[in-house]
Each structure stands twice: as structure tokens, then as C-alpha cells.
């Protein structure tokens, strides 16, 4: 391991996604050895596909916090000295809630957290999309334009995504319960200029969820623009002054 690599980034995927969404970022950081990107695996999909899905929000938070704590202990033994979180949309809310669980259960906090295009818990609408039909969820996925057409048009590939999306919508329907939880570390907020799902006011409202500083970064594009702005996100994730 490069002795200059002192930071691990725990990255939470958006709704319906697996850790694979962060593979390009992971590969780039591995090549430069500037930090370690650790995509957070969710039970029931990807590398944890053989495990049962977790349908209760608090149970999921406890599980993810325990997984990160175990990994962080290993990383410290390898010479890693700091950690941060990143989450996009659904993953942005999860990242903060898991950060709060890590504070509560293990007395540890990240150097800072990055929340991208996510509606804070108290501004979440009543979400019943987990009750939608497969056809409705497929149409929603097409409209979001966050999944390649090659996957959307292949039944064998779209089926697990729809199952994952349905479970994430069930978890998301419980997000309003997080309205009174906050963290003690700085938040970096990433807001897209043409995001039709998350407004600038939504992003600014995250200031209610930390007792520390917040900063706001604007990027051009729609709800999934973050994946086209790795140069900007990388600079944020490797920032030595934040926090």
C-alpha cells in the first residue's frame, strides 16, 4: 500500500444500485493511490446477494454501521488514519444516518461527509413507490435516465434492479423517521443545476442535520450529473482542508 494513502471513502449507492456504480471511481483511485474507495454493500444485492434483504430502516442502519466499523478497524491496522462518507440521492440520506449510528454506537465520526442530490428526511414526501408494479418501476427507471438502455431492455438484467429498487423505496418510505437525527461533522453538499427531483432549497436544508459547518458545491446537469463530474467530486473527496 502506498504510504501516502491515508484516507478511506465509504460510498453509498443510489436507490436500486449496487457497489458496481462506483467501479470507475474505485479504479481511478486505485491507479493514483491517493485514497481508498470502499463502496458500501447492501444486503440482498451485489456481493451480498445471498443474504436476505433488510426491510427495516433502523436494522439496515445498524448493519451498515457495524460493517463500516469492522472495516475501519482493519483499515487503521493498515495505516489508514482518516475516513469520510459519500452518498448520492438515496445513498446520501443513508450516509448521514449511518454516520450518526457510528457516532452513537462506536464513538467515531468521519472527517466530513459528502451528500449529493438528496432530499433531507424532513422534506421527504410520502413514498408509496414500493407498492408500484414492475412495469411502473421500469418506466420510472427509464425516465430517470440513470440506467443504460442495454440493461433496461434486457429482462434478465432489469429484474434484479427492479427488486432492489422496490426494497430501497420501502426503506425510503421510512426516511421521515430520521428527522431528529444529526451529526457533529462537516457536510459538503453537491447540488445539480437541473435536478428535477432535488431542489437547491432541499440541499440547503441539510444544515439542520449537523452541528458543524456546511459547504455547497454546484455542478451542471440533472439528478445523475454527479457521475459525469468525477473531476469535481474527486477534488472534494481528496480535500485536505475540509473538516
Amino acid at each position: 500500500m502506498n504510504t501516502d494513502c491515508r484516507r478511506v471513502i465509504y460510498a453509498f449507492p443510489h436507490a436500486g444500485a449496487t457497489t458496481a456504480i462506483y467501479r470507475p471511481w474505485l479504479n481511478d483511485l486505485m491507479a493514483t493511490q491517493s485514497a481508498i474507495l470502499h463502496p458500501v454493500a447492501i444486503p440482498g444485492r451485489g456481493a451480498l446477494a445471498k443474504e436476505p434483504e433488510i426491510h427495516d430502516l433502523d436494522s439496515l442502519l445498524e448493519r451498515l454501521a457495524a460493517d463500516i466499523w469492522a472495516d475501519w478497524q482493519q483499515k487503521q491496522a493498515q495505516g489508514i488514519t482518516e475516513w469520510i462518507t459519500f452518498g448520492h440521492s438515496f445513498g446520501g440520506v443513508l450516509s448521514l444516518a449511518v454516520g450518526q449510528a457510528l457516532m452513537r454506537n462506536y464513538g467515531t465520526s468521519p472527517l466530513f461527509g459528502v451528500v449529493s442530490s438528496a432530499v433531507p428526511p424532513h422534506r421527504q414526501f410520502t413514498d408509496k413507490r414500493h407498492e408500484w408494479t414492475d412495469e411502473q418501476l421500469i418506466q420510472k427507471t427509464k425516465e430517470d435516465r440513470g440506467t443504460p438502455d442495454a440493461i433496461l431492455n434486457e429482462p434478465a438484467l432489469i429484474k434484479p434492479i427492479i427488486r432492489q429498487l422496490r426494497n430501497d423505496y420501502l426503506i425510503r418510505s421510512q426516511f421521515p423517521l430520521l428527522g431528529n437525527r444529526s451529526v457533529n461533522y462537516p457536510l459538503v453538499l453537491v447540488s445539480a443545476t437541473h435536478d428535477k427531483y432535488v431542489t437547491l432549497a432541499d440541499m440547503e436544508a441539510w444544515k439542520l442535520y449537523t452541528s458543524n459547518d456546511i459547504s455547497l458545491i454546484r455542478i451542471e446537469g440533472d439528478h445523475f450529473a454527479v457521475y459525469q463530474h468525477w473531476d469535481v467530486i474527486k477534488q472534494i473527496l481528496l480535500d485536505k482542508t475540509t473538516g
Side-chain angles (χ1 to χ4, degrees):
M1 179 179 295
N2 187 333
T3 56
D4 293 329
C5 180
R6 298 294 183 185
R7 177 176 297 181
V8 57
I9 304 154
Y10 293 104
F12 293 73
H14 63 259
T18 68
T19 58
I21 192 66
Y22 292 121
R23 186 172 294 129
W25 295 7
L26 185 152
N27 291 341
D28 180 77
L29 289 176
M30 285 181 62
T32 61
Q33 297 187 333
S34 50
I36 297 171
L37 186 74
H38 183 103
V40 177
I42 296 178
R45 70 190 64 178
L48 302 181
K50 293 184 178 180
E51 296 193 19
E53 294 177 337
I54 297 176
H55 303 296
D56 174 70
L57 175 58
D58 280 332
S59 298
L60 179 62
L61 299 179
E62 294 294 311
R63 166 60 189 273
L64 298 182
D67 287 352
I68 290 176
W69 172 244
D71 184 79
W72 171 232
Q73 290 180 297
Q74 294 179 357
K75 291 293 193 297
Q76 287 179 295
Q78 298 169 358
I80 302 299
T81 59
E82 57 192 38
W83 64 282
I84 67 172
T85 62
F86 174 88
H88 177 66
S89 194
F90 170 86
V93 180
L94 273 189
S95 70
L96 185 129
V98 171
Q100 197 274 341
L102 282 157
M103 289 169 46
R104 182 182 66 249
N105 295 345
Y106 306 103
T108 184
S109 298
L111 185 64
F112 62 92
V114 183
V115 177
S116 167
S117 297
V119 178
H122 73 287
R123 294 174 69 98
Q124 293 272 340
F125 62 87
T126 301
D127 196 338
K128 296 290 186 180
R129 286 175 290 184
H130 58 281
E131 299 177 355
W132 284 9
T133 66
D134 286 359
E135 290 72 22
Q136 287 176 305
L137 290 176
I138 291 172
Q139 183 59 36
K140 174 68 166 59
T141 304
K142 290 180 177 179
E143 292 172 358
D144 287 346
R145 303 181 67 182
T147 304
D149 289 341
I151 293 177
L152 291 172
N153 296 326
E154 178 53 58
L157 297 178
I158 192 62
K159 186 175 181 179
I161 292 178
I162 295 305
R163 176 178 52 78
Q164 292 159 191
L165 191 60
R166 188 183 304 283
N167 189 62
D168 287 349
Y169 281 149
L170 177 58
I171 293 294
R172 176 178 277 165
S173 71
Q174 302 166 60
F175 278 174
L177 301 175
L178 301 172
N180 62 349
R181 304 189 191 187
S182 63
V183 297
N184 62 359
Y185 50 85
L187 297 180
V188 180
L189 310 174
V190 180
S191 174
T193 56
H194 295 88
D195 191 333
K196 64 180 181 179
Y197 302 117
V198 187
T199 66
L200 180 58
D202 287 332
M203 294 305 300
E204 291 174 335
W206 280 104
K207 65 185 178 182
L208 301 175
Y209 291 83
T210 179
S211 58
N212 213 305
D213 297 332
I214 66 166
S215 56
L216 178 67
I217 307 294
R218 294 280 273 169
I219 58 174
E220 291 289 330
D222 62 14
H223 185 65
F224 290 100
V226 67
Y227 299 118
Q228 283 77 54
H229 289 277
W230 171 232
D231 55 335
V232 175
I233 302 305
K234 182 178 180 180
Q235 185 175 1
I236 295 171
L237 298 178
L238 299 181
D239 189 356
K240 297 300 182 183
T241 60
T242 303

